[in-house]
Amino acid sequence: MAKKAVATLQEGKTDGRAYSKVIKMVKSPKTGAYVFDEHMVPNEAVKDFFKK
């Protein structure tokens, strides 16, 4: 059973690799504390996410 479960997870590996989870630390204007901004973005848009 374990081999079958692993084989089914590997079928969609091209879809999952097209996206990256990016985390950016942003300072809150209200409190001044740092918060984390997390998003799933396409690999091509990672640099654009950090430029904002």
Side-chain angles (χ1 to χ4, degrees):
M1 289 301 267
K3 289 184 179 181
K4 186 175 182 180
V6 171
T8 58
L9 289 175
Q10 290 181 351
E11 288 176 1
K13 65 182 177 181
T14 57
D15 296 333
R17 290 186 184 180
Y19 289 89
S20 298
K21 182 177 183 179
V22 291
I23 303 171
K24 182 167 54 170
M25 193 166 69
V26 181
K27 193 170 188 175
S28 174
K30 285 185 177 180
T31 62
Y34 285 98
V35 294
F36 294 99
D37 188 18
E38 299 181 17
H39 291 285
M40 294 293 290
V41 296
N43 291 338
E44 296 83 21
V46 171
K47 289 184 180 181
D48 295 332
F49 175 79
F50 286 114
K51 285 182 182 179
K52 292 181 184 178

